[in-house]
Amino acid sequence: LIVLAEEFHAEATQLAVLPYRSGLTRQEALREAVAGFWRTYSRRRGELIGVFQAAMLGGEFLDRWLDIRAEAIARIARQIRQAQAEGYCPGIDPVLTASALSAMLEHFSYIWLGQGGERAEVAFDDESAIDTLATIWVKSVYWRPEPAADDTTADDTTAVGWPEIAAWYDELLTSGSGPHELAVGITMRLVPDLRGARVLDLACGQGLAARALARGGAASVTGVDVAPEMIELARGHEAAEPLGIGYQVADAQALPGLAGRSFDLVTCQLGLMDIPDLTATLAAVARVLRPGGRFVFVIGHPCFLAPEARTVTDEDGRPARLIADYLTERFWRSANPAGVRRAGNYHRTLGGYLNALIAAGFVLDVVAEPAAEGRLASQQPVYQQVPIFFAARAIRP
């Protein structure tokens, strides 16, 4: 039975993952993933009825079955967190929701495929079953709260995610962005000698940092991002200026398809704030780095870019940052219709980042809090006195 359960898990996982790699929208991919589970269950119903019944009896089989379910629930929870990063389903617990949806899918399949259905007059076939299941899944995850009637900041810009602003973001960086120029500069100052290095650029966006790393002499550069729209833009830049960079759509929280210990350096420029599960991401980074490899990251300085922080002028006429809510870790969106953070990000305390890094087994090597220079200094002089970014280099022992 354990072998049968593992075979079913492998087949269902493959059918669940493939739609997300085929260019479908997430909602379309979710429907195809549900359809894959249903058809696998239908084809192997006799075996699976035995599997599910055996799981009720406990013992060694139950332990292995719970491990198998945990893998599936973790995968579903990552998809829910990604949806939350884009402004969907705020406030729900990704793991509990994943467990509930998975249990609903399994039990519905058992009732209709294993027991012949309910004692109710209802038209039933495979497509109506798949449509019903997919609708429940989509509506459980891909929903947004209605703005309050007196919420004067809620408008269409509060509902966008990275896919919706990808083209705008690319134009912003291409035309010249002071913050991003500083971020690239500090990344390149923190990376070790790039000659012969195999580099992974995490949450690469349209490839700004990846191109700098390739020009800096890296032997190979791979860029990954969860948004297909960003990867398409990055590949467009690669076509215009071939640097040998490979780009792929991948979730930073797992880095599927990337072998363990296969990179000398992992970088992440202004991406960790956009990723829901920091713990999973750092574990994935540690997995793909060779022993002695480096992880270099730049984040918006959480002490000064906290939710709703704003620039003010002090009594001496100097620009300063007013921070009212630093200690509460949460997802938030800026109401600025021309700002990057209208796509939302995850505010964490500086201690939260550093403790997660230590818990993942990294050794902190060097940190930096750069002062604004060049374009950023002229655009936002406050950041000449207050750091806009926190950057660090850590070592995987």
Side-chain angles (χ1 to χ4, degrees):
L1 282 175
I2 290 176
V3 172
L4 291 175
E6 289 175 340
E7 288 177 354
F8 168 68
H9 173 62
E11 184 176 345
T13 297
Q14 182 181 31
L15 292 172
V17 170
L18 283 176
Y20 289 89
R21 300 175 179 170
S22 61
L24 301 175
T25 67
R26 289 191 176 89
Q27 291 88 336
E28 292 169 340
L30 197 154
R31 185 191 188 282
E32 290 305 306
V34 168
F37 182 96
W38 177 267
R39 290 167 182 146
T40 301
Y41 196 115
S42 178
R43 186 167 54 254
R44 308 184 66 165
R45 72 185 72 182
E47 305 164 25
L48 292 174
I49 289 171
V51 166
F52 288 122
Q53 290 178 341
M56 300 176 188
L57 301 178
E60 179 183 354
F61 178 78
L62 175 59
D63 288 340
R64 180 57 188 137
W65 178 243
L66 289 175
D67 288 341
I68 290 172
R69 274 187 54 81
E71 294 173 17
I73 289 169
R75 186 183 68 252
I76 298 166
R78 285 196 297 270
Q79 294 167 356
I80 293 171
R81 292 189 184 99
Q82 178 58 39
Q84 289 179 323
E86 297 173 12
Y88 294 102
C89 58
I92 69 171
D93 185 286
V95 175
L96 288 177
T97 304
S99 175
L101 289 172
S102 177
M104 179 271 295
L105 178 60
E106 292 171 1
H107 192 65
F108 185 90
S109 299
Y110 176 76
I111 291 293
W112 285 95
L113 293 174
Q115 293 187 341
E118 303 282 5
R119 289 180 178 174
E121 293 294 327
V122 59
F124 173 80
D125 57 31
D126 283 349
E127 289 306 308
S128 62
I130 291 168
D131 284 341
T132 299
L133 289 166
T135 297
I136 293 171
W137 273 57
V138 168
K139 290 186 178 296
S140 296
V141 176
Y142 292 99
W143 58 271
R144 290 188 171 106
E146 292 293 329
D150 59 351
D151 185 357
T152 59
T153 66
D155 55 31
D156 289 343
T157 64
T158 65
V160 302
W162 284 103
E164 289 81 8
I165 70 168
W168 169 88
Y169 183 70
D170 181 51
E171 184 178 351
L172 172 70
L173 270 58
T174 302
S175 61
S177 166
H180 293 87
E181 290 167 0
L182 180 63
V184 170
I186 194 62
T187 294
M188 298 306 292
R189 288 198 289 271
L190 289 181
V191 298
D193 187 351
L194 288 170
R195 289 174 295 180
R198 301 161 298 171
V199 182
L200 173 66
D201 188 32
L202 201 67
C204 67
Q206 52 84 278
L208 182 68
R211 292 190 291 278
L213 293 160
R215 296 184 190 116
S220 67
V221 178
T222 301
V224 299
D225 199 285
V226 75
E229 296 82 358
M230 288 294 190
I231 292 298
E232 182 179 354
L233 289 165
R235 288 171 176 162
H237 286 287
E238 174 66 17
E241 181 190 359
L243 294 169
I245 304 171
Y247 291 103
Q248 56 185 276
V249 177
D251 185 350
Q253 298 164 126
L255 297 177
L258 297 180
R261 303 187 174 194
S262 57
F263 294 97
D264 305 297
L265 170 67
V266 176
T267 60
C268 186
Q269 178 179 289
L270 304 181
L272 291 181
M273 314 95 70
D274 303 321
I275 300 172
D277 193 332
L278 180 62
T279 299
T281 301
L282 294 177
V285 171
R287 179 181 66 80
V288 301
L289 270 175
R290 64 166 177 80
R294 267 57 174 177
F295 177 42
V296 172
F297 66 90
V298 182
I299 57 175
H301 205 306
C303 297
F304 305 108
L305 299 184
E308 286 84 46
R310 56 193 176 94
T311 299
V312 297
T313 303
D314 71 11
E315 59 186 12
D316 295 323
R318 298 175 302 180
R321 294 289 287 173
L322 177 63
I323 313 300
D325 185 11
Y326 169 72
L327 291 175
T328 304
E329 296 193 342
R330 61 185 175 93
F331 179 81
W332 75 287
R333 278 179 200 280
S334 169
N336 179 4
V340 171
R341 285 173 294 167
R342 62 187 156 128
N345 67 26
Y346 290 84
H347 170 69
R348 303 177 178 101
T349 63
L350 184 57
Y353 278 107
L354 297 180
N355 287 331
L357 198 67
I358 293 167
F362 286 95
V363 176
L364 196 61
D365 186 22
V366 63
V367 301
E369 296 172 290
E373 54 192 42
R375 192 193 308 262
L376 177 60
S378 62
Q379 291 174 336
Q380 300 185 69
V382 65
Y383 294 121
Q384 291 179 289
Q385 305 301 322
V386 173
I388 188 173
F389 297 134
F390 177 86
R393 182 175 67 227
I395 303 170
R396 179 200 186 279

